């Protein structure tokens, strides 16, 4: 149980185009999902918190108009990289918290990560 | 605010040797601490976590970590390394929210 999937697993696009990445919790509902960005051989940097039915909360320095997040259902969050440029090339990872099982709600701190999406912008 | 420092970006051990990966944290509130493992081109898998209670935490694959408040540390250990343990390991801290702050990671190499 507790599986998070991402689609696509990798994508190559031309500069100036937009790319949508999906994050799905397959066997649980997730009110909260997170989007991270990981550069080669570096750590994960939190980009934004995605909450079902409300606007995403972006971390400082992350352009909300460039990285559009939509959390339309309890099992799906999407990240759209708009007008992508080569500097947006990275490994994007999402995570999902089973509803009611996060640190704030239960103290359990359960958070499950997707396998990541590698974006290459030419 | 929270932060994590992982000492040593690379650690190499022989198969069967002790594994020690260091993690020090800073937190303005009592921390929740995590260790995750990442295999190439994959997401993160939780090894273990400390929330409250017993300070020695046992995780999967024979790993364990001890929360030492006086030293602000949460080092990860395994008595005997396996070839399959070769991966990237991340320490993370949370300060009573679900947002995780990750360290820079330690790449573990295991030699036969």
């Amino acid at each position: 149980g507790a599986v998070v999937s991402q689609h696509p697993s990798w994508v190559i696009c031309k500069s100036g185009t937009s790319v949508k990445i999906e994050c799905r919790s397959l066997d649980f509902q997730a009110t909260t999902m997170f989007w991270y960005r990981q550069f080669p051989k570096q750590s994960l940097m939190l980009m934004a918190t995605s909450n079902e039915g409300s606007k995403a909360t972006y971390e400082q320095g992350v352009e909300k108009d460039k990285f559009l997040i939509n959390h339309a259902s309890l099992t799906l969050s999407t990240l759209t990289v708009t007008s992508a440029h080569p500097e947006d090339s990275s490994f994007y990872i999402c995570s999902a918290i089973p509803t009611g099982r996060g640190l704030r709600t239960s103290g359990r701190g359960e958070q499950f990560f997707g396998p990541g999406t590698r974006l290459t912008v030419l | 605010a929270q932060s994590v420092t992982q000492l040593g970006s690379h650690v190499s051990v022989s198969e069967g040797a002790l594994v020690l990966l260091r993690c020090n944290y800073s937190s303005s509130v009592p921390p929740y601490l995590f260790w995750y493992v990442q295999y190439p081109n994959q997401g993160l898998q939780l090894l273990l976590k400390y929330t409250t209670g017993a300070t020695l935490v046992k995780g999967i694959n024979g790993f364990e970590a001890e929360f030492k408040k006086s030293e602000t540390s949460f080092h990860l250990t395994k008595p005997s390394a396996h070839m399959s343990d070769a991966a990237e390991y991340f320490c993370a801290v949370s300060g009573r929210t679900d947002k995780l702050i990750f360290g820079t990671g330690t790449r573990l190499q295991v030699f036969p």
Side-chain angles (χ1 to χ4, degrees):
Chain A
V3 178
V4 177
S5 71
Q6 285 185 239
H7 178 80
S9 55
W10 59 270
V11 57
I12 301 173
C13 69
K14 293 182 179 180
S15 186
T17 61
S18 294
V19 174
K20 179 184 285 188
I21 302 170
E22 294 184 348
C23 176
R24 292 182 185 272
S25 55
L26 298 185
D27 49 4
F28 63 95
Q29 293 184 332
T31 306
T32 301
M33 293 184 176
F34 295 100
W35 286 97
Y36 296 86
R37 183 173 181 178
Q38 186 179 30
F39 291 102
K41 301 185 187 303
Q42 294 188 32
S43 187
L44 282 77
M45 298 300 296
L46 179 64
M47 298 174 66
T49 303
S50 172
N51 293 298
E52 187 269 338
S54 64
K55 291 183 178 181
T57 304
Y58 291 82
E59 295 300 301
Q60 191 172 10
V62 177
E63 299 175 62
K64 61 180 66 177
D65 294 330
K66 181 164 188 63
F67 299 99
L68 301 179
I69 292 173
N70 186 359
H71 194 152
S73 78
L74 287 172
T75 59
L76 173 65
S77 175
T78 60
L79 168 68
T80 301
V81 183
T82 62
S83 187
H85 291 282
E87 58 266 29
D88 299 323
S89 298
S90 191
F91 194 52
Y92 292 88
I93 301 175
C94 72
S95 69
I97 297 176
T99 300
R101 286 156 60 178
L103 283 171
R104 295 184 72 182
T105 49
S106 70
R108 294 173 66 172
E110 296 185 6
Q111 185 170 157
F112 300 97
F113 286 79
T117 295
R118 184 162 301 284
L119 169 63
T120 301
V121 185
L122 302 177
Chain B
Q2 288 76 41
S3 66
V4 173
T5 301
Q6 289 185 242
L7 296 176
S9 58
H10 289 82
V11 171
S12 297
V13 299
S14 299
E15 192 173 20
L18 171 72
V19 175
L20 171 61
L21 304 182
R22 299 179 186 275
C23 173
N24 288 89
Y25 70 90
S26 173
S27 179
S28 55
V29 298
Y32 286 171
L33 295 158
F34 304 81
W35 273 101
Y36 286 88
V37 60
Q38 183 181 35
Y39 296 98
N41 295 312
Q42 295 187 28
L44 275 68
Q45 181 182 8
L46 179 68
L47 280 176
L48 49 80
K49 63 181 178 182
Y50 168 78
T51 53
T52 57
T55 56
L56 181 62
V57 181
K58 295 186 183 300
I60 62 171
N61 301 339
F63 285 94
E64 63 182 38
E66 186 171 10
F67 170 60
K68 292 187 176 181
K69 183 178 178 180
S70 61
E71 299 177 9
T72 61
S73 69
F74 191 58
H75 302 329
L76 181 71
T77 61
K78 181 174 181 178
S80 177
H82 211 265
M83 296 295 290
S84 60
D85 295 326
E88 188 87 19
Y89 291 79
F90 292 97
C91 181
V93 64
S94 175
R96 293 294 186 262
T97 73
D98 291 303
K99 290 167 61 172
L100 293 175
I101 305 301
F102 285 89
T104 51
T106 297
R107 180 166 299 278
L108 175 65
Q109 287 185 305
V110 182
F111 293 100

